[in-house]
């Protein structure tokens, strides 16, 4: 069981909006540590999608956005496309564990 | 082009050792903390170990503490992971990853560049 909790799977139709949650605690997200998001296509390395809660690296479409509130964070994807079908991971830091953490991952299916 | 290239993976018996390497190019290696992240077959990502720019400060996940050693050779732009006392549960793809910010403390930063990964299989 991951310290950062994500829904194992989600789905949406093309053009729809989906939001993936990442729930932590007072020793990680709630302590003010940044949340980052990654996209992993099948058989490839993860790709940074959102850093420091709500910042997009160069080249990431503005269909992807991040937010954080309290002990949780969310990744929103608007205008869902077939190419968005992938695994998504949140990441933060935990002061109790003195370790960088990943959420368990969410498999997004585009219907 | 910014690139990380891992090598050194393979099949090893339980209790054995393996040394992974990660060759960096296209950026100022000495300015960035680096990490190893692994992914067991069909599973999620797990941060394994991190090292700050000079190599003097290192960090480990509890699952590998005392068995794995991270190091770097800044003269060769190369990151290493020495893995000893390997167990079946260490079987995974091992990725090296670069911190996003220069001179980060290595704790709260994102990983903006990843290698393609190298497979480690621990089995008799």
């Amino acid at each position: 069981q991951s310290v950062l909790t994500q829904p194992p799977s989600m789905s949406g139709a093309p053009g729809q909006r989906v939001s993936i949650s990442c729930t932590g605690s007072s020793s990680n997200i709630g302590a003010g540590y940044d949340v980052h998001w990654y996209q992993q296509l099948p058989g490839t390395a993860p790709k940074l999608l959102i850093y420091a809660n709500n910042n997009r690296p160069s080249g990431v479409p503005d269909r992807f956005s991040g937010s954080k509130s309290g002990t949780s964070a969310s990744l929103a994807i608007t205008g869902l496309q077939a190419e968005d079908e992938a695994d998504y991971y949140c990441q933060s830091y935990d002061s109790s564990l003195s370790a960088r953490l990943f959420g368990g991952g969410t498999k997004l299916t585009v219907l | 082009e910014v690139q990380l290239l891992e090598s050194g993976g393979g099949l090893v018996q339980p209790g054995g050792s393996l040394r992974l390497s990660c060759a960096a190019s296209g950026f100022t290696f000495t300015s960035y903390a680096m990490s190893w992240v692994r992914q067991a077959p069909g599973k999620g990502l797990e941060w394994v170990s991190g090292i700050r720019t000079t190599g003097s400060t290192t960090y480990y996940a509890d699952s590998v503490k005392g068995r794995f050693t991270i190091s770097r050779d800044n003269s060769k732009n190369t990151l290493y992971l020495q893995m000893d006392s390997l167990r079946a549960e260490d079987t995974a793809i091992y990725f090296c990853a670069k911190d996003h910010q220069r001179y980060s403390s290595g704790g709260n930063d994102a990983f903006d560049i990843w290698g393609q990964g190298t497979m480690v299989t621990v089995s008799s």
Side-chain angles (χ1 to χ4, degrees), chain A residues 39-42 81-88 108-111:
Chain A
Q39 177 192 60
Q40 187 177 32
L41 299 171
Q81 299 179 3
E83 66 206 50
D84 299 332
E85 188 160 290
D87 293 326
Y88 293 85
L108 175 64
T109 301
V110 180
L111 302 170

Side-chain angles (χ1 to χ4, degrees), chain A residues 22-38:
Chain A
C22 175
T23 302
S25 67
S26 58
S27 62
N28 42 69
I29 299 175
Y33 293 107
D34 288 335
V35 178
H36 319 293
W37 291 91
Y38 302 87

Side-chain angles (χ1 to χ4, degrees), chain A residues 2 11 13 19 35 41 57 65 69 73 75 78 80-82 100:
Chain A
S2 301
S11 63
S19 179
V35 178
L41 299 171
S65 63
S69 178
L75 171 71
T78 59
L80 206 56
Q81 299 179 3
R100 300 164 93 159

